[in-house]
Amino acid sequence: MLPRRSIIRISTQTPQVRLLLKTNLTSQIRTIVLSTAAATLSLTGTTLYAQTTDEAVIEEVFVVGTRRAYQGNFSNLENPSAVQSMDLELLREVGALNLNDALDLSASVARQNNFGGLWNSFSIRGFSGDINLPSGFLVNGFNAGRGFAGPRDIVGIESVEVLKGPRSALFGRGEPGGTINLITKRPNFETQGDVRVTLGRWNQQRLEGDYQSTAGANDEVGYRLVGFYEDSESFRDTVETERLGLYPSVTWQITEQSRVTYELEYTRQDVPFDRGVAFTEEFGFTPRDTFAGEPGDGPIETEVIGHQLEFQHNFSNNWSLLAGFGYRDTSFTGNASETNFDGRQTLFLDGRTLSRFFRFRDFESEYTVLRAELAGQFATGSLNHRLLLGADYDRFENDQLILRYRPGSFGPDTDINTLDPAEYLFLDVFNPVYGQFPQPVPGPNTDREEELDGAGFYVQDQIDLTEKLQVRLGFRYDDFSQDLTDLRATPVTTVTTEDSRVSPQFGAVYLLNEGLSLYASYGEGFRQQTGSDFRGNQFDPNLTESAEVGIKADLGSLIDGVSGEASFTVFQVDQSNILVNDDRPEAEAAGFFSRAAGEARSRGIELDVNLATDGGFNLWFSYAYTDAEFTNSNPDADFGALIEEGDPLINAPENQLNIQASQSFNLGAMPAQLGGGVLYTDERLGWTGFDFYLPDYTTVRLFGELEPMRGVTLRFDIDNLFDETFYTNSFADVWVEPGMPRRYRLTASYAF
């Protein structure tokens, strides 16, 4: 993958040179054929070198293509932070269908409570964001993870980037442990396409399509149509999902220097609200196939309509402008019968009778983003600078209406036979009979409107002090405000609060040789927090300080016949202003409120390797050791249980490992591939402030692929080969997500 601007320097003594360079990131795909007997390529910043024993430069060629916001012209060796990139080839090799499947490849990422399967939620290096909202992620550099669009499908994604450490010096408001950036499929100014059909266990039926071509007198317009439809049952009784997604895009190459790209995102999903299984110390976990909700409640309906518009203009070979607009409208509506907690939970009395409560939710959000970024390079004396200078604005409007019915509480010595089954919505977890009781009539619970506005500007300069030593300096200034309206109050009240923050970033890179670099970095970040304290004021932002040191390797420069990258990182992340229960007397007198007073720290190491050999062998290896714990004592924000200093963070495994390996070969005249992977996740805390842990687990996946005729591919996947019973994440002991039993899938695809 080439950056926006690259210089190719060819040095040779021989007249016979044959070098083929292709970049499909530009609408004008350029193929450059030059001559050399033995040339090697290495990308360092904006310069692509082809070297032999002779160092005389005979030609310079500029290749100008599209670039991405916040990235700059840097090779991985020059980036003073840890980065993982899962490209389309790897995502298809592991059989990833959704964002969770992709993020499982990174040992630095752990699954968090996903709100009954209705959104993506994850932590990076032990830290997660707001548990009451989906985890924030970027789409092509746009803040687009907020909102209620359901779990993200992978069909429209070209690659997934895990950008570790706080990136607020560039990206602005983000998650505390790192940033996930999704790169979408856009036109490549080619005519091609593919269709994929998948049939799997539990009546899974899935259809995917991807087609692109060009238009216009000189093929200056490229368009791409991507979409999917899936209907599937589940290992969870009565649970069935239906999903539809359409992701068209168009790029207009206005001139040699200017282009504009528009993308549409439309997804509709019908997904039952599923809180998973429950656990009691005396009786263990409830059966993993028993759905604790009510089929008669119907599914939760989620919908998103999103727009992205980008304009790029190259002023010269050294300077370019990237400006963009994004708008995303999401909705989330439906009923749900959910498992009660202890105090209202009859499962703790007899080990088989589950009690439930009922909620209706109507959530809507609108997310608007504007941005502009100038990127370029220049020299001051002997120093070379690569500069990013930008500004952005975003507004997040979050409207939430919740109606709730909840039965009364009872003591631990209660005789279950004295309780009204209809009041507690009883369900026998070993012999569930649904629809026994009329749907409750819920009453008022939450009715609020929230607007978060933020504007900021940022500067980053990476300076070549010597041929080997580079330093990166950056900072970002943000000004933000919150309007929080309580529609249940009499009279209706709106509280407005404002704040501003500066987020600095420092880094250094030392290039040991063309294939190795050492780096160190420090950065600060923040994240706005939704909701308010007992006085109605916005919470102070969640603050993060992060430092890391590491070594990176370009394997292709070090080992003959191998391409790929490797990195080893040691990191520490400190976080403050975590929401905890406000136990001050004046707050307790007002009710149950939170305040920003918690502190935590995460320390660890990471080892990541991604390589491919000339013989068709591919390896992905990702290991992380993460020691994430609270560093002060406070009552928990959700239940008031005491968090003691040294307690671990929820759903944060100390050890996590993911390995994926494959081998390509020919079966007769037919190309084929075999491979598989292993995911290991250590035990982890399952309920903040309580002594409840999810057990560790290891799952194995296998796949085989065969191309019986040109363009036609058949693939067979087996996930969780040994049918292990495991649990991926939880919010509490009665809200635990079970892992999927052994699953098999057959996929047929046709490329044209």
Side-chain angles (χ1 to χ4, degrees), residues 230-414:
E230 180 174 353
D231 184 83
S232 179
E233 296 176 4
S234 166
F235 70 96
R236 306 275 290 159
D237 290 341
T238 78
V239 173
E240 182 175 354
T241 61
E242 185 176 16
R243 313 174 194 266
L244 171 67
L246 300 172
Y247 314 103
S249 59
V250 59
T251 297
W252 177 26
Q253 187 72 40
I254 305 170
T255 67
E256 282 278 335
Q257 293 77 32
S258 303
R259 66 161 53 194
V260 62
T261 298
Y262 167 76
E263 295 184 67
L264 172 68
E265 173 195 2
Y266 174 79
T267 309
R268 179 181 175 87
Q269 304 187 60
D270 293 342
V271 182
F273 197 102
D274 186 0
R275 285 295 191 184
V277 301
F279 174 84
T280 65
E281 190 69 35
E282 182 177 357
F283 303 106
F285 287 99
T286 58
R288 64 179 174 179
D289 58 349
T290 298
F291 175 51
E294 275 290 335
D297 291 341
I300 300 292
E301 297 179 355
T302 70
E303 186 175 61
V304 57
I305 299 178
H307 309 271
Q308 286 192 11
L309 183 68
E310 282 191 356
F311 172 75
Q312 178 182 328
H313 179 73
N314 300 316
F315 298 103
S316 67
N317 290 320
N318 291 326
W319 292 93
S320 68
L321 172 70
L322 183 64
F325 166 80
Y327 175 79
R328 202 165 187 253
D329 187 320
T330 73
S331 63
F332 175 113
T333 307
N335 299 312
S337 297
E338 305 176 51
T339 306
N340 274 315
F341 290 95
D342 193 13
R344 294 180 172 86
Q345 184 48 256
T346 52
L347 187 70
F348 293 95
L349 301 178
D350 67 356
R352 69 177 302 139
T353 305
L354 190 78
S355 70
R356 298 169 295 173
F357 67 103
F358 177 82
R359 278 195 278 205
F360 166 78
R361 295 178 176 89
D362 186 1
F363 295 172
E364 292 185 1
S365 75
E366 293 184 19
Y367 207 169
T368 304
V369 184
L370 296 169
R371 71 175 186 212
E373 179 182 278
L374 182 68
Q377 63 181 36
F378 61 95
T380 56
S382 61
L383 302 180
N384 184 57
H385 301 257
R386 278 170 283 177
L387 182 71
L388 294 177
L389 177 64
D392 54 34
Y393 165 82
D394 64 74
R395 165 177 283 196
F396 180 55
E397 300 177 55
N398 175 17
D399 300 343
Q400 295 192 11
L401 171 66
I402 303 176
L403 305 178
R404 184 181 67 181
Y405 161 82
R406 187 171 64 171
S409 59
F410 53 80
D413 298 325
T414 300

Side-chain angles (χ1 to χ4, degrees), residues 416-455:
I416 193 172
N417 295 314
T418 65
L419 300 176
D420 181 359
E423 179 185 356
Y424 288 88
L425 302 177
F426 279 173
L427 183 73
D428 187 336
V429 296
F430 296 103
N431 184 28
V433 178
Y434 299 105
Q436 297 183 78
F437 312 110
Q439 190 176 84
V441 178
N445 182 238
T446 299
D447 191 1
R448 72 184 186 195
E449 296 176 351
E450 184 174 25
E451 291 184 5
L452 295 172
D453 288 88

Side-chain angles (χ1 to χ4, degrees), residues 515-529:
L516 282 174
S517 70
L518 298 173
Y519 76 90
S521 66
Y522 169 83
E524 297 179 8
F526 76 96
R527 178 178 56 83
Q528 291 174 270
Q529 306 196 89

Side-chain angles (χ1 to χ4, degrees), residues 650-651 684-688 690 692-694 730-733 735:
I650 190 170
N651 293 311
R684 56 244 175 264
L685 185 70
W687 192 2
T688 300
F690 292 84
F692 170 62
Y693 284 81
L694 300 179
S730 66
F731 175 75
D733 58 354
W735 290 356

Side-chain angles (χ1 to χ4, degrees), residues 570-585:
V570 180
F571 67 87
Q572 177 170 316
V573 184
D574 291 280
Q575 188 180 147
S576 58
N577 287 348
I578 299 171
L579 293 183
V580 295
N581 177 247
D582 194 341
D583 59 351
R584 295 174 296 182

Side-chain angles (χ1 to χ4, degrees), residues 40-108:
T40 61
L41 295 178
S42 65
L43 182 62
T44 57
T46 60
T47 305
L48 182 66
Y49 298 95
Q51 296 178 325
T52 62
T53 55
D54 181 76
E55 294 301 320
V57 176
I58 63 171
E59 186 175 357
E60 290 191 2
V61 180
F62 294 97
V63 179
V64 178
T66 59
R67 71 174 186 85
R68 303 200 325 260
Y70 311 114
Q71 298 297 309
N73 289 325
F74 306 103
S75 71
N76 188 41
L77 292 183
E78 296 179 301
N79 194 347
S81 58
V83 177
Q84 285 179 292
S85 181
M86 289 83 87
D87 61 17
L88 182 59
E89 182 179 358
L90 176 63
L91 296 176
R92 286 192 170 176
E93 187 172 299
V94 300
L97 297 180
N98 55 60
L99 184 56
N100 282 340
D101 294 337
L103 295 180
D104 280 346
L105 287 166
S106 174
S108 305

